[in-house]
Amino acid sequence: MAIQTAGQKTARSTKIRIENNSTIDLPKGAEEHIQKVLDYVPIEHLRGLERLKLVDFINDPRLKNLDVPIKGDLPGLYHPKVMNQSAWMEVSRVGKFC
């Protein structure tokens, strides 16, 4: 006999689109592996996130005006929701993806 809680929604998987804009080829099954890793992230942290973009380096104009210097390359950057565009993440190639 299962216990049901009133008002509790069933867990549903959120599929995040993975875009590869890097110059290197991903290993076989890398996108499935990334999707499995994202399955462990709580749904509250993924809500509203539309895509994950894999790039060689992160070039964002907002980073040029930072007061705090950044050592090396930035491994990832979150782009919040702006007007009609959903939130998305950008992950740079630090060494290798997988």
Side-chain angles (χ1 to χ4, degrees):
M1 186 165 134
I3 299 174
Q4 294 181 354
T5 307
Q8 191 174 34
K9 295 182 180 179
T10 57
R12 61 182 181 136
S13 62
T14 304
K15 199 74 168 171
I16 296 177
R17 188 174 67 227
I18 299 171
E19 298 177 2
N20 184 13
N21 290 351
S22 67
T23 56
I24 65 168
D25 294 328
L26 291 178
K28 182 180 176 184
E31 289 189 19
E32 291 82 16
H33 184 72
I34 294 170
Q35 199 61 254
K36 286 180 186 177
V37 169
L38 289 174
D39 288 342
Y40 283 98
V41 178
I43 191 71
E44 293 85 14
H45 297 287
L46 297 176
R47 188 169 290 136
L49 199 60
E50 180 182 75
R51 70 181 189 258
L52 177 89
K53 191 175 190 180
L54 304 173
V55 295
D56 289 329
F57 300 100
I58 295 177
N59 294 324
D60 192 37
R62 297 176 291 174
L63 299 174
K64 293 178 183 176
N65 300 328
L66 285 179
D67 296 335
V68 179
I70 299 175
K71 264 188 159 179
D73 297 326
L74 191 64
L77 185 63
Y78 172 77
H79 297 271
K81 179 180 177 180
V82 178
M83 306 265 293
N84 294 335
Q85 184 181 10
S86 297
W88 57 287
M89 288 190 304
E90 196 171 10
V91 179
S92 71
R93 177 176 59 99
V94 181
K96 293 184 179 179
F97 287 120
C98 297

